[in-house]
Amino acid sequence: MSDSFDVKLEETVYLPDPSIRDQSWIGDYDAEYQRFLRNPDGFWEGIADELEWFRKWDHVKKWNPPYAEWFTNAQLNITHNCLDRHATGERRNKVALIWRGEKEGQERVLTYRQLYRQVMRFASALTKMGITKGDTVCLYMPLVPEHIVALLACARIGAVHNIVYGGFGASALNARIRDSGAKLVITSDVGYRRGKRVALKAIVDEAVVNAPTVEKIIVLRRSDPGPELFSEMEVDFYEVLESGDTTCEAAVMDAEDPLFILYTSGTTGQPKGIVHTCGGYMVGAYYTTKYVFDMKENDVHWCTADPGWITGHSYIVYGPLSVGATVLITETVPDYPDPGIFWRIVEDFGVTIFYTAPTAIRMFMRVGEEWPNKYNLDSLRIIGSVGEPLNPEAFEWYYRVIGKNRCPILDTWWQTETGMHMITTMVGEPMKPGFAGRPIPGVVADVVDAQGNPVEPGTGGLLVIKEPWPAQMRAVNNDDARYRAYWETINGYYTAGDLAVKDEDGYIMVLGRSDDIIIVAGHNLGTAEVESALVSHEAVAEAAVIGIPDPVKGQTVKAFVILVNGYTPTDKLKSDLTYHVRMGIGPIAMPSAIDFVDSLPKTRSGKIMRRVLKAQELGIDPGDISTLEE
Ligand code: 6R9
């Protein structure tokens, strides 16, 4: 891990209209932050009290480092707060979910009452199938309302959901099913992407071979005519739904019962199954949705992520629904049928809060402002970014062209592990392009050296969180050592694995990963996962991958490959290997370049020094290479 280093900071400040702060839920950031510092447990208790519990807590938190419990002995069900609370009250006929397909006119709308009833019905049906509290259910679905119904139904009965992004291939899906021990897989015959069908069920068929825990597969049939279901294991989504009773009480969950497992890329070995629990996660997702997005009753919230990522869990589903908002979901990608499609959707549905990734913003910049300028974006109130650093050029473009110099930009830094936003510039506060901002009230973040000492403003270091927070992960599934490593690497602080720098005002700029994770278009990939996909090809003896800068995707994968004796380096082999990675992990992991090499730089202990490859590639100083083998 790198120690501290100097960073040149150039700052521009954008001052929002004072009315934004006056009308915001958060009000005065500094006062709120001080209020939190004076009484952290009291602060979180106040937030938790805004929600409904079946039984309240004995303690706000118990912190036995590195193990945390939040809201001990409290009882709740997150779906009660996302559904019952609204559907049995004044929001019953409020629109909960708007779905827009790829084609204009493909629209579905579900009110809170309708969503509530569908979820209960599906939850009841799952119970009848033998799914009970604590069972794991894997969801591998396109972004359609049934996806949201299925995941909420799991939460309603206390089944632990594991959502796997539909862009992952069979071997990645298999690894996740096996590690989580899923009993049931819920999928769809196809998804639609850029006008083409993506066969999801075919990938599930391959992934469940050698996955002995899987007993049933529920298939949502979207194509017409739908595929036949052959095996005993397979059941139709709507037949299942119809077999359910019209009501289904929410299971009484302990605050510390698991709610979901979500896999994120590990630096070494297999992806890590991050475990989140019911109580603390609910409070964190609710708090940040309401106070960071400043979500109000009439907002139409569009987070362009997929439920397969943490961003989708927290800011498509649990956060906005717990607040009682109207949520837009769509299968649409940003550049099909043309790069104006997102702005057209904003205009058509009157989106007020728009949350996307820097990679999309950079793509929009490249195609030009004539696309957004064709549409009326007056409904927008707040625009956000997540997934990687939002570089100042992209910030400025986003602020001017999309936000019309009027909407605050929320550049939100957080992780699968944190479950909720951690660092941003709260609405109404001065914004600094390139800087995510300051820790939100409730979070204590800092930039430190390898020993844990805070570094001076302008000096780069490691981003850490110093105090526990409710939505923190509780475990890495089946791997306590990897869980402990987060808290035990630097002085008992939570190590995020990111490099960062602070300025004099405490604003934090996130510089990128300090470890072996590559972020392609906002999606995290572990170098190890891509390398093992390459090595699984018969021609590959050894492989190393690095992230190289890409103007649109942030980074892309470059691979260095040593061939097995007897294989010849050809362009054909390059495309075979690219295809092989695509099938194994998915399109996002496909190398943009492959070099055939005779050897790889390694440490004496045999670890590949990707840093050296990277330095060579970028023509920069590789730093300390004393551990490099001959
Ligand atoms: C929410 C999410 C986490 C990693 C994180 C960091 C990068 C996320 C960022 C950002 C700079 C931001 N990251 N948001 N970097 N500025 N606003 O993306 O979770 O998929 O687990 O990725 O993404 O490197 O450590 P996850």
PDB file of all heavy atoms in Angstrom, residues 163-177:
ATOM      1  N   ILE A 163     -28.304 -10.557  -5.270  1.00  0.00           N
ATOM      2  CA  ILE A 163     -28.569 -10.137  -6.641  1.00  0.00           C
ATOM      3  C   ILE A 163     -27.260 -10.175  -7.422  1.00  0.00           C
ATOM      4  O   ILE A 163     -26.236  -9.657  -6.950  1.00  0.00           O
ATOM      5  CB  ILE A 163     -29.179  -8.725  -6.677  1.00  0.00           C
ATOM      6  CG1 ILE A 163     -30.404  -8.659  -5.752  1.00  0.00           C
ATOM      7  CG2 ILE A 163     -29.544  -8.348  -8.105  1.00  0.00           C
ATOM      8  CD1 ILE A 163     -31.086  -7.309  -5.719  1.00  0.00           C
ATOM      9  N   VAL A 164     -27.312 -10.797  -8.582  1.00  0.00           N
ATOM     10  CA  VAL A 164     -26.135 -10.839  -9.443  1.00  0.00           C
ATOM     11  C   VAL A 164     -26.472 -10.061 -10.709  1.00  0.00           C
ATOM     12  O   VAL A 164     -27.490 -10.325 -11.360  1.00  0.00           O
ATOM     13  CB  VAL A 164     -25.722 -12.291  -9.770  1.00  0.00           C
ATOM     14  CG1 VAL A 164     -24.510 -12.317 -10.688  1.00  0.00           C
ATOM     15  CG2 VAL A 164     -25.438 -13.065  -8.483  1.00  0.00           C
ATOM     16  N   TYR A 165     -25.647  -9.105 -11.023  1.00  0.00           N
ATOM     17  CA  TYR A 165     -25.860  -8.242 -12.190  1.00  0.00           C
ATOM     18  C   TYR A 165     -25.970  -9.096 -13.466  1.00  0.00           C
ATOM     19  O   TYR A 165     -25.157 -10.000 -13.691  1.00  0.00           O
ATOM     20  CB  TYR A 165     -24.692  -7.262 -12.280  1.00  0.00           C
ATOM     21  CG  TYR A 165     -24.672  -6.419 -13.520  1.00  0.00           C
ATOM     22  CD1 TYR A 165     -25.759  -5.612 -13.846  1.00  0.00           C
ATOM     23  CD2 TYR A 165     -23.568  -6.417 -14.367  1.00  0.00           C
ATOM     24  CE1 TYR A 165     -25.737  -4.834 -14.983  1.00  0.00           C
ATOM     25  CE2 TYR A 165     -23.540  -5.631 -15.506  1.00  0.00           C
ATOM     26  CZ  TYR A 165     -24.635  -4.843 -15.812  1.00  0.00           C
ATOM     27  OH  TYR A 165     -24.608  -4.076 -16.943  1.00  0.00           O
ATOM     28  N   GLY A 166     -26.980  -8.798 -14.285  1.00  0.00           N
ATOM     29  CA  GLY A 166     -27.256  -9.566 -15.494  1.00  0.00           C
ATOM     30  C   GLY A 166     -26.147  -9.518 -16.538  1.00  0.00           C
ATOM     31  O   GLY A 166     -26.181 -10.270 -17.511  1.00  0.00           O
ATOM     32  N   GLY A 167     -25.144  -8.680 -16.343  1.00  0.00           N
ATOM     33  CA  GLY A 167     -24.027  -8.629 -17.278  1.00  0.00           C
ATOM     34  C   GLY A 167     -22.942  -9.647 -16.942  1.00  0.00           C
ATOM     35  O   GLY A 167     -21.994  -9.812 -17.710  1.00  0.00           O
ATOM     36  N   PHE A 168     -23.068 -10.316 -15.812  1.00  0.00           N
ATOM     37  CA  PHE A 168     -22.068 -11.323 -15.451  1.00  0.00           C
ATOM     38  C   PHE A 168     -22.327 -12.625 -16.204  1.00  0.00           C
ATOM     39  O   PHE A 168     -23.465 -12.989 -16.458  1.00  0.00           O
ATOM     40  CB  PHE A 168     -22.101 -11.614 -13.948  1.00  0.00           C
ATOM     41  CG  PHE A 168     -21.331 -10.629 -13.123  1.00  0.00           C
ATOM     42  CD1 PHE A 168     -21.967  -9.859 -12.163  1.00  0.00           C
ATOM     43  CD2 PHE A 168     -19.954 -10.485 -13.287  1.00  0.00           C
ATOM     44  CE1 PHE A 168     -21.261  -8.946 -11.395  1.00  0.00           C
ATOM     45  CE2 PHE A 168     -19.242  -9.577 -12.515  1.00  0.00           C
ATOM     46  CZ  PHE A 168     -19.895  -8.804 -11.566  1.00  0.00           C
ATOM     47  N   GLY A 169     -21.255 -13.342 -16.501  1.00  0.00           N
ATOM     48  CA  GLY A 169     -21.354 -14.611 -17.213  1.00  0.00           C
ATOM     49  C   GLY A 169     -21.535 -15.781 -16.265  1.00  0.00           C
ATOM     50  O   GLY A 169     -21.629 -15.629 -15.038  1.00  0.00           O
ATOM     51  N   ALA A 170     -21.564 -16.985 -16.873  1.00  0.00           N
ATOM     52  CA  ALA A 170     -21.919 -18.190 -16.125  1.00  0.00           C
ATOM     53  C   ALA A 170     -20.947 -18.510 -14.995  1.00  0.00           C
ATOM     54  O   ALA A 170     -21.368 -18.907 -13.912  1.00  0.00           O
ATOM     55  CB  ALA A 170     -22.034 -19.372 -17.084  1.00  0.00           C
ATOM     56  N   SER A 171     -19.653 -18.355 -15.203  1.00  0.00           N
ATOM     57  CA  SER A 171     -18.750 -18.780 -14.141  1.00  0.00           C
ATOM     58  C   SER A 171     -18.803 -17.813 -12.954  1.00  0.00           C
ATOM     59  O   SER A 171     -18.749 -18.231 -11.800  1.00  0.00           O
ATOM     60  CB  SER A 171     -17.330 -18.999 -14.653  1.00  0.00           C
ATOM     61  OG  SER A 171     -16.710 -17.777 -14.878  1.00  0.00           O
ATOM     62  N   ALA A 172     -18.974 -16.517 -13.238  1.00  0.00           N
ATOM     63  CA  ALA A 172     -19.122 -15.545 -12.147  1.00  0.00           C
ATOM     64  C   ALA A 172     -20.418 -15.825 -11.378  1.00  0.00           C
ATOM     65  O   ALA A 172     -20.451 -15.762 -10.148  1.00  0.00           O
ATOM     66  CB  ALA A 172     -19.126 -14.123 -12.700  1.00  0.00           C
ATOM     67  N   LEU A 173     -21.476 -16.146 -12.107  1.00  0.00           N
ATOM     68  CA  LEU A 173     -22.760 -16.446 -11.455  1.00  0.00           C
ATOM     69  C   LEU A 173     -22.638 -17.718 -10.618  1.00  0.00           C
ATOM     70  O   LEU A 173     -23.096 -17.770  -9.473  1.00  0.00           O
ATOM     71  CB  LEU A 173     -23.855 -16.578 -12.523  1.00  0.00           C
ATOM     72  CG  LEU A 173     -25.260 -16.930 -12.049  1.00  0.00           C
ATOM     73  CD1 LEU A 173     -25.790 -15.899 -11.051  1.00  0.00           C
ATOM     74  CD2 LEU A 173     -26.228 -17.032 -13.242  1.00  0.00           C
ATOM     75  N   ASN A 174     -21.999 -18.730 -11.189  1.00  0.00           N
ATOM     76  CA  ASN A 174     -21.804 -19.994 -10.462  1.00  0.00           C
ATOM     77  C   ASN A 174     -21.034 -19.767  -9.163  1.00  0.00           C
ATOM     78  O   ASN A 174     -21.418 -20.280  -8.105  1.00  0.00           O
ATOM     79  CB  ASN A 174     -21.077 -21.001 -11.366  1.00  0.00           C
ATOM     80  CG  ASN A 174     -20.720 -22.259 -10.619  1.00  0.00           C
ATOM     81  OD1 ASN A 174     -19.628 -22.374 -10.055  1.00  0.00           O
ATOM     82  ND2 ASN A 174     -21.632 -23.218 -10.579  1.00  0.00           N
ATOM     83  N   ALA A 175     -19.967 -18.977  -9.219  1.00  0.00           N
ATOM     84  CA  ALA A 175     -19.155 -18.740  -8.021  1.00  0.00           C
ATOM     85  C   ALA A 175     -19.998 -18.081  -6.929  1.00  0.00           C
ATOM     86  O   ALA A 175     -19.888 -18.415  -5.745  1.00  0.00           O
ATOM     87  CB  ALA A 175     -17.964 -17.848  -8.367  1.00  0.00           C
ATOM     88  N   ARG A 176     -20.887 -17.160  -7.329  1.00  0.00           N
ATOM     89  CA  ARG A 176     -21.712 -16.450  -6.355  1.00  0.00           C
ATOM     90  C   ARG A 176     -22.800 -17.357  -5.790  1.00  0.00           C
ATOM     91  O   ARG A 176     -23.100 -17.308  -4.593  1.00  0.00           O
ATOM     92  CB  ARG A 176     -22.288 -15.192  -7.007  1.00  0.00           C
ATOM     93  CG  ARG A 176     -21.210 -14.098  -7.151  1.00  0.00           C
ATOM     94  CD  ARG A 176     -21.523 -13.088  -8.242  1.00  0.00           C
ATOM     95  NE  ARG A 176     -20.522 -12.028  -8.328  1.00  0.00           N
ATOM     96  CZ  ARG A 176     -19.305 -12.167  -8.881  1.00  0.00           C
ATOM     97  NH1 ARG A 176     -18.917 -13.344  -9.401  1.00  0.00           N
ATOM     98  NH2 ARG A 176     -18.459 -11.156  -8.916  1.00  0.00           N
ATOM     99  N   ILE A 177     -23.397 -18.182  -6.651  1.00  0.00           N
ATOM    100  CA  ILE A 177     -24.425 -19.115  -6.173  1.00  0.00           C
ATOM    101  C   ILE A 177     -23.817 -20.095  -5.169  1.00  0.00           C
ATOM    102  O   ILE A 177     -24.390 -20.382  -4.120  1.00  0.00           O
ATOM    103  CB  ILE A 177     -25.056 -19.895  -7.360  1.00  0.00           C
ATOM    104  CG1 ILE A 177     -25.900 -18.947  -8.220  1.00  0.00           C
ATOM    105  CG2 ILE A 177     -25.893 -21.063  -6.861  1.00  0.00           C
ATOM    106  CD1 ILE A 177     -26.474 -19.586  -9.475  1.00  0.00           C
TER     107      ILE A 177
END
